[in-house]
Amino acid sequence: MVSGSTVTKLALRVSDLSAMRSGRTILYPTSLNIAPAERIGIVGSSGSGKSTFGHALIDDLRRQGHSVAQVPQSPDEALDPLRSMAFHWQEAERALGLKPGTADREALFATLKIEKGDMRKRPWGWSRGMQQRFVIAMALIGAPDLIVLDEPTSALDPVVAAATMQLLDQHLTEQNIAMVLITHDLGLASKWVSKLAVMQDGHLVEEAATQDILNTPQTKAAQSLVAHRNWMALPC
Amino acid sequence: MLTVDTIAVKRGSKLALQNIAFTLAAGKTLAVVGESGAGKSTLIAAILGFLKPIQGQIAWSGQPVRSCRPALVMQEPRAAFNPVLPLRRSVLEPVVAAGQSVPEARIKRLCDGLEIKEEILERRPNEVSIGQAQRVGILRALIAAPPLVLFDEPLSALDAVTQKHTARLIRDLQAEEGFAALIVTHDLGYAVAHSDEIAVLRAGQIEEISTPQQFVTAPKAGYCQALRDAAIALGGLEAAA
């Protein structure tokens, strides 16, 4: 389902999502509300269940009929090395039920400052920063209700990563698109989201406004993330 | 002391590094930062002697660097070990290669310092967490007491909390052991918090070498400044007050 940006967006809700792997529970029943255009960070250490929750959340919301876009950690996961960039773009259009060439590629490319990218080339003919922006541009075709980004900057150089986040941030604001940012780095999340959900051992242990968590973290997991959010904040 | 004296290095027909000059004294840490393709890994390969400079010299106290048996800590800890061997076998490779006897007391002391439970050395790489594997990687690097340790993105596979913890363990061991450390990283926060000097590499050349304090408060205009501002935007650095 594709909803245009003029349509009033509904609040999104997932309830009691859980997941098991090899007989072990890796996600205990977890619920989350996402208001229209809200920015939420799912944070936690490695193995806390944040990516699992992200996947479950995407599946469930799509099942409910919402349009949810996903950007994986590395463009390698999103792009086929044997296919041209043009093929990827058309595939994304077809997946959304659009005719090839109907998505406004130029506008999205301009938004994300994708310049001089040769669409005939395969992914490895583009720089990694450009590849990741291309993947984000594909995710934004058809103005989804929500975009879920899993560690979107970790494969990028800092200058490119910061510019990409800024461009994305601006676009999401203009289009009223909600965002879920999954990251182990509370320092990064706190710059871009207004609400944080802290995961630990497959549980969502704390959920509050970003400033509240930064100022008064309640759980051990949140306290640890807050204490380690910045290199300079630590005694060393 | 490591002396890199105005080297140029070619990769294929391309000039990958040029005009690179710096020194690194025992006990000190130099962080090398810069974008992908800037030449950071080429610099490590050149220091280790895998690539020969077409110009200039690299030396450790006047001798070829290889003679001091430098150690390397790699980015992907689990990929850095032989997957079918228990970690202990891999850890001991540097001492076995040097024909030395197994330094049990040293293993114990380093394990304490790196917060490694000795029994995990009996496991294989895929049976431990990434954080544990990276600490074992550091153990292997330090086992033969090298005077120079090169770290290639040592923390980037770890989560934010484990990163800071591991960085502190490295630093404490460096204070005890006195090795010189060259750390390649794209994490400006790490570079600022844990190095004595920061070298910003771009397109094969050094843009600036400065102290962390200078880098935060007054980076060279242009790329260095953009790098600092990006780190602030991404939450890795706090804006200077």
Side-chain angles (χ1 to χ4, degrees), chain A:
Chain A
M1 189 184 91
V2 181
S3 50
S5 58
T6 48
V7 178
T8 309
K9 294 194 170 160
L10 302 168
L12 307 176
R13 174 167 177 76
V14 292
S15 315
D16 294 331
L17 299 180
S18 60
M20 287 181 85
R21 181 176 289 159
S22 313
R24 201 164 61 91
T25 304
I26 52 171
L27 179 67
Y28 293 86
T30 305
S31 306
L32 189 70
N33 287 322
I34 307 168
E38 191 172 30
R39 311 280 178 85
I40 299 181
I42 300 179
V43 294
S45 56
S46 297
S48 59
K50 52 191 192 304
S51 291
T52 303
F53 181 42
H55 285 136
L57 179 134
I58 292 166
D59 283 351
D60 193 67
L61 288 174
R62 283 183 178 160
R63 207 173 300 132
Q64 294 175 32
H66 297 291
S67 139
V68 181
Q70 180 189 13
V71 176
Q73 182 165 358
S74 157
D76 298 342
E77 293 171 50
L79 302 172
D80 180 341
L82 297 176
R83 298 287 193 178
S84 70
M85 296 308 247
F87 177 89
H88 287 101
W89 190 266
Q90 283 169 17
E91 192 175 52
E93 287 176 323
R94 276 198 299 272
L96 288 162
L98 300 173
K99 275 198 193 123
T102 43
D104 195 348
R105 194 177 85 206
E106 271 172 32
L108 283 170
F109 275 24
T111 301
L112 289 162
K113 296 222 162 68
I114 301 172
E115 289 148 2
K116 294 186 222 148
D118 186 343
M119 294 294 285
R120 289 169 306 181
K121 284 194 174 169
R122 299 194 170 98
W124 35 271
W126 289 35
S127 72
R128 285 185 75 73
M130 290 267 282
Q131 286 179 35
Q132 186 70 331
R133 286 183 197 196
F134 179 84
V135 172
I136 294 173
M138 282 200 303
L140 293 170
I141 297 175
D145 303 320
L146 170 71
I147 183 168
V148 179
L149 305 119
D150 194 347
E151 303 282 5
T153 59
S154 61
L156 304 179
D157 297 306
V159 176
V160 176
T164 304
M165 286 306 292
Q166 268 147 7
L167 295 168
L168 176 66
D169 182 70
Q170 210 177 348
H171 183 76
L172 298 185
T173 305
E174 285 163 13
Q175 303 284 322
N176 275 324
I177 298 171
M179 173 174 88
V180 166
L181 178 64
I182 300 170
T183 177
H184 65 85
D185 186 347
L186 181 63
L188 171 74
S190 61
K191 292 278 175 180
W192 303 99
V193 302
S194 53
K195 189 166 100 179
L196 288 167
V198 179
M199 302 283 300
Q200 184 189 29
D201 299 333
H203 295 273
L204 199 169
V205 291
E206 194 168 340
E207 190 185 335
T210 303
Q211 275 315 315
D212 291 346
I213 293 217
L214 290 180
N215 296 332
T216 49
Q218 301 296 317
T219 55
K220 265 220 161 100
Q223 283 159 4
S224 169
L225 288 171
V226 169
H228 291 84
R229 77 182 184 283
N230 187 291
W231 285 97
M232 309 317 290
L234 286 167
C236 53

